[in-house]
Amino acid sequence: MDPRLTLSSCIIFSFQDFNLRSTDRWWTIQLIGMLFRLLIVSAVLCHVQAVLSRPPCRRPRLVCGENAECHDKSCGCKEGFFGQPLIECHRSDQFQCVVQGGPHYSTFSKNSANLFFPCKYRMARVQTPLERGVAGLAFCSFEVFGFNEIINGRYYTSGVEISLAIGDFANQFFKQQDFIKFDINQLAVETSDGSIAMWGHDASSKFNGIEVECKFDTHHRFAILSIPRCQFSVKFRPYNDADTNIRQSQVPGISIVVGQQTIFGESDLGRYPSSLCGVPGDGSHLFQDRASELRLKNRHQALLYDALDQNLTQESFLEEVTDSVLQDKDTCQATVDEFLECGTQEQKSKAIRLCFNVLSKRRFTKCLGISALSAFRACVEAFCSDRAEGCEKYFEVLGNLDCKGPRKVKKFCH
């Protein structure tokens, strides 16, 4: 119901009810005063009615995350909760790192940037204490990797991989079988020990005597890997293939939530840029400072630089999962290799500045699709190693799809 129409109809109704005629001056004044007061009351009542009848969220189909609610046009965390309301909000004694939507990165220290990279990247590497274990000797160690894909010219999370080790040095030493890996994609949660939980079917198992829960939040459409004794959980929501031509009502994303006693940055792999989530003490200018250090134009370029520079093997531990979470594994690996071989930090930064828009501008990625990565890789090759060959490959990719690329790259190649 439109509040303006409701208010107007109430006012008109009030006039019609009190459209009286009187020749007596005193009664006319009294009637006008009564009518004026009645109009005010009617307007207030109609406004209240309109507000109460208004849907809780003006954006159609928007579903807020856990511990969040819609306020007028957007989602917000409920009182006492913090975080990313489109994905989930957490308690004040927890830390959260999120990659969501287009995709927008939010670190443990709340720094944000966009990651235009349709491949694999390391999100976090942390240790948490094992509850009811020997203090200082019992802990859980996690490494979390994200995967991105390009759909309709936008970037979305396509899967997540978790490496987990749980041990208590008071009564055992770590050995190879103390490590287990989990892959979460739009079909299932699979583990390196051969277990599998299909979407929508909760499962629970024990690893080194510690309960590992695989749950599915059907309302918020999340697959959740949770280890309560480690105060650790990872949530993954895939792109909704049923909503390909309309805005996603539940944005795809990954959320990592850990407890306050988590140990961050125990090694270089736990800190930014080796882990894109960083640590809570990174400060509020992490990405901007990194961009200045690398002589890049903005924080988004810095995040792409560091995702490439992580030098990750572009695959999952399960071949069939790799095929579902990476649209082009071979080009992902070739792009990482090409970037690493570029030479000095300065040369790599110049390559990012030249080629960045191939991946970041939607008018190009919408036309090229996943081939935008091939064009980006050819651009890096043209700058770093072989100008003629790289440019030839670059224009071949664009020509095959009848797409245009950034003028800056065209000018460089000509």
Side-chain angles (χ1 to χ4, degrees):
M1 183 183 295
D2 190 330
R4 294 171 296 181
L5 292 177
T6 306
L7 182 59
S8 301
S9 61
C10 284
I11 292 175
I12 292 171
F13 176 79
S14 299
F15 269 114
Q16 290 173 343
D17 278 359
F18 289 90
N19 187 20
L20 303 178
R21 295 180 180 179
S22 176
T23 57
D24 187 278
R25 184 176 180 181
W26 186 86
W27 281 107
T28 302
I29 294 173
Q30 295 298 315
L31 183 59
I32 291 174
M34 184 188 305
L35 182 59
F36 181 72
R37 289 192 293 270
L38 188 58
L39 283 172
I40 293 176
V41 172
S42 298
V44 171
L45 289 175
C46 287
H47 177 71
V48 170
Q49 180 187 4
V51 170
L52 291 176
S53 63
R54 184 183 299 162
C57 192
R58 289 185 181 178
R59 176 180 156 189
R61 303 174 61 255
L62 178 65
V63 180
C64 300
E66 187 178 1
N67 300 318
E69 57 190 1
C70 196
H71 300 286
D72 199 9
K73 294 183 179 180
S74 61
C75 293
C77 292
K78 294 179 179 178
E79 186 176 356
F81 291 90
F82 308 88
Q84 302 298 320
L86 289 177
I87 299 292
E88 69 168 327
C89 297
H90 59 89
R91 304 191 311 266
S92 60
D93 62 342
Q94 296 174 314
F95 297 105
Q96 181 188 43
C97 179
V98 170
V99 55
Q100 64 179 0
H104 308 293
Y105 224 98
S106 179
T107 70
F108 285 121
S109 56
K110 308 306 178 188
N111 285 280
S112 62
N114 295 339
L115 178 58
F116 303 106
F117 186 53
C119 301
K120 181 181 181 179
Y121 50 93
R122 181 186 293 106
M123 292 185 67
R125 194 172 192 258
V126 299
Q127 288 184 4
T128 68
L130 177 63
E131 287 186 351
R132 302 193 302 277
V134 178
L137 293 175
F139 59 89
C140 316
S141 181
F142 299 92
E143 199 164 13
V144 184
F145 302 91
F147 301 86
N148 287 343
E149 60 185 343
I150 298 177
I151 300 175
N152 293 332
R154 300 187 187 277
Y155 292 80
Y156 298 98
T157 55
S158 57
V160 59
E161 180 177 295
I162 302 110
S163 177
L164 163 67
I166 302 176
D168 191 335
F169 280 124
N171 49 46
Q172 74 167 52
F173 292 95
F174 277 106
K175 49 189 180 298
Q176 185 61 38
Q177 52 264 43
D178 288 328
F179 292 83
I180 189 170
K181 292 185 177 181
F182 299 85
D183 257 320
I184 310 177
N185 56 62
Q186 63 179 348
L187 301 176
V189 179
E190 301 184 53
T191 68
S192 55
D193 66 2
S195 303
I196 183 171
M198 302 304 295
W199 265 86
H201 300 279
D202 293 356
S204 180
S205 61
K206 287 189 178 295
F207 173 66
N208 275 6
I210 308 302
E211 187 173 17
V212 177
E213 299 175 352
C214 176
K215 300 180 292 185
F216 295 89
D217 181 342
T218 54
H219 175 67
H220 294 105
R221 218 166 54 85
F222 274 115
I224 307 168
L225 181 70
S226 175
I227 301 95
R229 284 186 62 187
C230 296
Q231 300 180 42
F232 173 90
S233 69
V234 174
K235 290 185 176 182
F236 166 70
R237 181 161 62 202
Y239 181 86
N240 188 353
D241 292 329
D243 292 348
T244 54
N245 295 319
I246 55 179
R247 194 173 183 179
Q248 296 278 296
S249 59
Q250 294 176 305
V251 297
I254 301 169
S255 174
I256 305 171
V257 174
V258 294
Q260 201 167 39
Q261 297 181 2
T262 299
I263 303 170
F264 297 91
E266 186 71 9
S267 67
D268 288 341
L269 282 181
R271 294 186 173 275
Y272 184 81
S274 295
S275 294
L276 300 186
C277 286
V279 301
D282 279 330
S284 58
H285 303 289
L286 175 68
F287 293 136
Q288 292 90 330
D289 291 345
R290 181 64 171 161
S292 297
E293 176 188 342
L294 296 171
R295 295 185 179 180
L296 295 172
K297 288 186 176 181
N298 56 54
R299 64 188 188 276
H300 314 301
Q301 290 186 358
L303 197 57
L304 175 60
Y305 179 107
D306 289 323
L308 286 163
D309 210 41
Q310 286 181 339
N311 190 20
L312 296 181
T313 300
Q314 293 293 307
E315 61 184 9
S316 165
F317 65 91
L318 293 170
E319 183 176 352
E320 61 271 24
V321 173
T322 301
D323 294 337
S324 69
V325 297
L326 288 179
Q327 295 167 310
D328 190 343
K329 179 192 73 172
D330 293 338
T331 303
C332 280
Q333 191 63 62
T335 304
V336 170
D337 294 342
E338 189 73 51
F339 183 77
L340 292 173
E341 293 170 2
C342 190
T344 65
Q345 176 179 296
E346 182 180 3
Q347 289 174 306
K348 292 178 183 177
S349 293
K350 287 181 178 179
I352 291 291
R353 291 202 300 270
L354 172 66
C355 307
F356 179 71
N357 284 350
V358 177
L359 289 178
S360 64
K361 295 297 183 182
R362 189 170 182 239
R363 64 178 179 271
F364 302 141
T365 54
K366 191 171 183 179
C367 183
L368 289 167
I370 188 57
S371 294
L373 184 64
S374 298
F376 175 81
R377 186 234 173 199
C379 178
V380 172
E381 179 183 354
F383 180 85
C384 296
S385 57
D386 191 323
R387 185 167 182 160
E389 185 174 349
C391 288
E392 182 180 352
K393 292 177 182 177
Y394 173 79
F395 287 121
E396 182 180 355
V397 173
L398 268 60
N400 287 339
L401 295 167
D402 194 22
C403 296
K404 294 181 179 180
R407 293 180 181 178
K408 191 175 183 178
V409 182
K410 183 178 179 180
K411 183 178 180 181
F412 172 82
C413 283
H414 286 325

